Amino acid sequence: MSTNGTPLLELEDVHTYYGTIEAIKGISLQVREGEVVTLIGANGAGKSTTLRSIQGINRPKRGRILFNGKDIVGHPPHEIVRLGISQSPEGRRLFPRMTVLENLEMGAFQRRDRSGVHQDVERVFGLFPRLAERRSQKAGTLSGGEQQMCAMGRALMARPKLLLLDEPSMGLAPVLVERIFEIVTEINSQGTTILLVEQNALMALDVATRGYVLETGVVALTDDATALRSNERVRKAYLGLT
């Protein structure tokens, strides 16, 4: 999807703590409208905390998070969803005793446009035909790949301007990982800007426009995805290449 150069999301010197432990130490980044931006880095680098800070789950102690030019620090998570940011969380976090359809409908719980919600259910089933086949099945009985599809579909039901994806390929077979990333590209081409956290740095840089490398809570490196893929340091540390 083409970008218009306007920052949809900006983090300015964001510091977020867990108790007394500083998990992110002054992160600044931008996501422009239409981009897929990825955060890569080792476990504990602060990738998921960055997403949780944006979503209002972990409130930063310092810094600003601007969405469409408005500072959203201090807004509760449901308000941030209403503004246009939704997340498919690490570990999927579905409602296991509810059906696939009910889980999707939960993603639209703040919406009042019933016909629009119905259209978006059909859009999700178009992206994930497997979910259409399983619409009446309880989410807890789905395979790992199907659960990931359901979590991504639920996040899309809020009609976000910005979709946060946290480790979408975690625990999936290679053939399913490929399919998930094809769908990430498709969602972006349909008009949704994406901020992607992913352990599989090679796949992430394949679908991304730009990337940020996080190391122990700071941005160690940023560049467009092609340049990061060929960067010697990134290749050795994160891509398993020499």
Side-chain angles (χ1 to χ4, degrees), residues 28-94:
S28 296
L29 61 83
Q30 285 190 353
V31 181
R32 293 189 288 271
E33 212 170 310
E35 287 190 306
V36 179
V37 173
T38 187
L39 305 181
I40 60 176
N43 276 333
K47 305 184 302 294
S48 291
T49 306
T50 301
L51 294 194
R52 290 168 67 87
S53 300
I54 295 163
Q55 195 69 63
I57 299 162
N58 290 101
R59 184 176 175 173
K61 277 196 177 174
R62 280 170 38 215
R64 299 200 307 162
I65 298 175
L66 303 171
F67 182 63
N68 268 334
K70 178 181 178 182
D71 192 351
I72 58 172
V73 171
H75 285 51
H78 70 273
E79 180 63 34
I80 290 170
V81 172
R82 194 179 294 135
L83 288 171
I85 302 176
S86 69
Q87 179 170 182
S88 174
E90 183 182 353
R92 292 130 206 182
R93 298 182 184 273
L94 298 175

Side-chain angles (χ1 to χ4, degrees), residues 100-101 104-105 108 111 114-133 135 153-154 156-157 159 186 190:
V100 165
L101 182 58
L104 294 181
E105 287 169 344
R111 290 175 58 182
R114 290 181 71 92
S115 65
V117 169
H118 177 72
Q119 281 172 9
D120 284 348
V121 167
E122 293 310 313
R123 176 197 173 200
V124 169
F125 286 156
L127 282 166
F128 304 106
R130 191 89 59 87
L131 293 185
E133 296 164 20
R135 70 173 71 205
R154 181 181 62 186
L156 286 171
M157 288 299 298
R159 276 202 185 165
E186 199 169 332
Q190 289 179 4

Side-chain angles (χ1 to χ4, degrees), residues 7-22:
L8 181 64
L9 177 79
E10 283 184 275
L11 273 64
E12 296 177 352
D13 193 30
V14 171
H15 297 252
T16 301
Y17 290 73
Y18 291 111
T20 57
I21 297 163
E22 191 174 14

Side-chain angles (χ1 to χ4, degrees), residues 54-216:
I54 295 163
Q55 195 69 63
I57 299 162
N58 290 101
R59 184 176 175 173
K61 277 196 177 174
R62 280 170 38 215
R64 299 200 307 162
I65 298 175
L66 303 171
F67 182 63
N68 268 334
K70 178 181 178 182
D71 192 351
I72 58 172
V73 171
H75 285 51
H78 70 273
E79 180 63 34
I80 290 170
V81 172
R82 194 179 294 135
L83 288 171
I85 302 176
S86 69
Q87 179 170 182
S88 174
E90 183 182 353
R92 292 130 206 182
R93 298 182 184 273
L94 298 175
F95 300 98
R97 295 195 175 128
M98 293 169 73
T99 65
V100 165
L101 182 58
E102 288 165 342
N103 269 276
L104 294 181
E105 287 169 344
M106 286 300 287
F109 80 101
Q110 298 194 88
R111 290 175 58 182
R112 297 290 172 265
D113 55 324
R114 290 181 71 92
S115 65
V117 169
H118 177 72
Q119 281 172 9
D120 284 348
V121 167
E122 293 310 313
R123 176 197 173 200
V124 169
F125 286 156
L127 282 166
F128 304 106
R130 191 89 59 87
L131 293 185
E133 296 164 20
R134 308 265 192 277
R135 70 173 71 205
S136 304
Q137 194 170 318
K138 285 191 168 41
T141 65
L142 299 174
S143 71
E146 290 161 354
Q147 288 191 18
Q148 185 58 55
M149 292 171 187
C150 192
M152 288 169 69
R154 181 181 62 186
L156 286 171
M157 288 299 298
R159 276 202 185 165
K161 297 184 187 77
L162 175 65
L163 176 63
L164 309 179
L165 293 177
D166 197 352
E167 302 287 6
S169 80
M170 186 183 274
L172 301 186
V175 63
L176 267 175
V177 171
E178 232 163 86
R179 182 66 195 126
I180 289 290
F181 279 104
E182 282 169 11
I183 292 163
V184 169
T185 303
E186 199 169 332
I187 291 167
N188 178 245
S189 71
Q190 289 179 4
T192 306
T193 305
I194 295 171
L195 180 57
L196 167 68
V197 159
E198 180 52 58
Q199 280 291 106
N200 188 333
L202 203 55
M203 291 297 274
L205 290 171
D206 261 350
V207 299
T209 324
R210 293 184 304 111
Y212 291 85
V213 178
L214 301 192
E215 287 177 5
T216 57

